[in-house]
Amino acid sequence: MNDRMMKAVLFDRYGGPEVLYVGRVPRPEPAPGEVLVKVRAFSVNGGELAARAGRLRLVSGRTFPKRVGLDFTGEVAALGGGVTRPAVGERVWGVLGRTSGFGSAAEYVTVPAERVGRVPDGLDLVDAAALPVATTAVTALRDKAGLRPGERLLVRGAAGGVGNAAVQLGQAYGAEVTALARAANLDFVRGLGAHQAVDHRSVRPADLGRFDVVLDTAGTDLETFRRLLNPRGRMVTIAFDLKRPVASLGYLAASTVHGRGRVRFFSGNPTQDHLDDLARYVREGKLRPAVHTVFPLEETAAAHRALEAGGVRGKYVVRVA
């Protein structure tokens, strides 16, 4: 077998999960400032589902084959020029940056050295793959919203990858956490530390009361949930409505100057500092991985299909080797 090649999950056209397949591509070499990581596991994220389906084709274009995979855990296999840390063999995790696109669904990936962090000792690399996107919850609650002890926090999509981390961190930050999730997942989010768990299909948002911070992971009905803010409330969303992208992004922009409470929108782009914070929360027992199901690399399409079906508790993780 040619050791200059590696397995990777690819697709040659936009479409459903069935377009994904495991092919062989050249193994990357780390450029100066980069590390080569032997990937052990990655998780499936909503953004890559949208990209695979062609909802972001105005950005991603029509050059194929394309790749999937946003986050990863693994071991450092080689160092690019000028890199001294992390060391070869060190267990690391990370999230590919905005300019890198997708591609962690593979046996190897190259990443700038400043975009990987050390995985806490004792944490299995497959379980750990559920956590890198939790940096988004850290940024949303701590840095964007400035969540304070005693405040009321509403987490929309509380059982998902970012949502379950937000519930755990909200409780750790001393907030009173209300979690919106499917009825089947209410016990799950209570177990994460939610003070109230509410079936999002059986309640009107207006009946939930007022909140100091709203964290949205869906990107729809933003105006409705914005109305739940207290006078000094803050709302953060990590998504926009992919069915109405222009209108949704327009509303986000308009919220900065109209009405009560700006809606802060951002996409996760963690650095080593964010990943080090994540590791500290894990060591302190404030955050734990929530893995719904582990799939082998050859069944990545099944993992995409499961996430699209809804009802996930935590993360769908794919084991590479």
Side-chain angles (χ1 to χ4, degrees):
M1 183 178 295
N2 187 347
D3 62 4
R4 294 182 181 274
M5 303 294 287
M6 69 172 185
K7 292 180 180 179
V9 180
L10 310 168
F11 61 100
D12 296 328
R13 58 185 172 87
Y14 293 122
E18 68 278 359
V19 303
L20 298 177
Y21 66 95
V22 177
R24 297 190 68 79
V25 299
R27 193 178 92 172
E29 296 294 333
E34 292 184 336
V35 297
L36 177 70
V37 176
K38 181 176 178 61
V39 179
R40 295 299 183 184
F42 61 91
S43 76
V44 180
N45 297 278
E48 60 191 300
L49 302 189
R52 186 216 68 227
R55 293 175 185 157
L56 305 177
R57 70 182 69 196
L58 291 178
V59 176
S60 58
R62 293 185 173 276
T63 301
F64 295 97
K66 295 188 183 298
R67 306 272 295 275
V68 296
L70 179 64
D71 52 36
F72 61 88
T73 62
E75 298 102 359
V76 176
L79 306 179
V83 178
T84 58
R85 288 286 183 273
V88 171
E90 199 163 310
R91 298 174 354 124
V92 295
W93 55 11
V95 179
L96 299 183
R98 294 184 185 130
T99 58
S100 302
F102 301 109
S104 65
E107 292 181 303
Y108 291 88
V109 67
T110 53
V111 195
E114 69 271 13
R115 302 194 67 86
V116 299
R118 290 186 59 183
V119 175
D121 293 340
L123 184 59
D124 178 79
L125 286 178
V126 175
D127 290 339
L131 283 175
V133 295
T135 55
T136 300
V138 174
T139 301
L141 297 181
R142 186 190 66 187
D143 304 336
K144 299 292 184 180
L147 182 66
R148 295 185 290 269
E151 291 192 315
R152 292 197 74 207
L153 166 66
L154 176 67
V155 179
R156 188 176 178 214
V162 175
N164 90 85
V167 171
Q168 296 182 65
L169 291 169
Q171 196 271 344
Y173 293 153
E176 179 187 326
V177 182
T178 297
L180 282 181
R182 292 187 177 197
N185 291 337
L186 297 184
D187 286 342
F188 169 69
V189 295
R190 289 190 191 100
L192 297 173
H195 299 84
Q196 298 180 64
V198 181
D199 176 8
H200 72 96
R201 293 177 175 175
S202 66
V203 66
R204 296 187 310 162
D207 295 334
L208 293 169
R210 299 290 180 181
F211 296 89
D212 301 292
V213 174
V214 173
L215 174 59
D216 170 78
T217 68
T220 57
D221 301 317
L222 297 179
E223 186 173 2
T224 298
F225 285 91
R226 183 187 181 195
R227 295 194 190 103
L228 306 185
L229 292 175
N230 285 323
R232 294 182 179 272
R234 293 86 70 199
M235 181 171 173
V236 181
T237 182
I238 63 169
F240 59 91
D241 190 343
L242 290 170
K243 295 180 179 178
R244 302 168 55 248
V246 175
S248 182
L249 290 170
Y251 175 77
L252 289 169
S255 77
T256 65
V257 292
H258 295 293
R260 184 182 68 197
R262 170 190 173 192
V263 183
R264 299 161 175 86
F265 168 70
F266 77 102
S267 59
N269 196 37
T271 64
Q272 188 176 81
D273 288 342
H274 294 101
L275 294 163
D276 289 346
D277 287 340
L278 191 69
R280 176 169 54 84
Y281 288 132
V282 173
R283 290 194 299 269
E284 293 173 351
K286 296 176 180 177
L287 186 63
R288 65 181 188 272
V291 177
H292 189 133
T293 307
V294 178
F295 296 83
L297 184 67
E298 290 72 17
E299 295 181 17
T300 301
H304 274 232
R305 191 171 294 109
L307 185 58
E308 287 186 340
V312 63
R313 298 182 180 185
K315 298 289 287 182
Y316 290 116
V317 170
V318 177
R319 179 188 287 110
V320 176

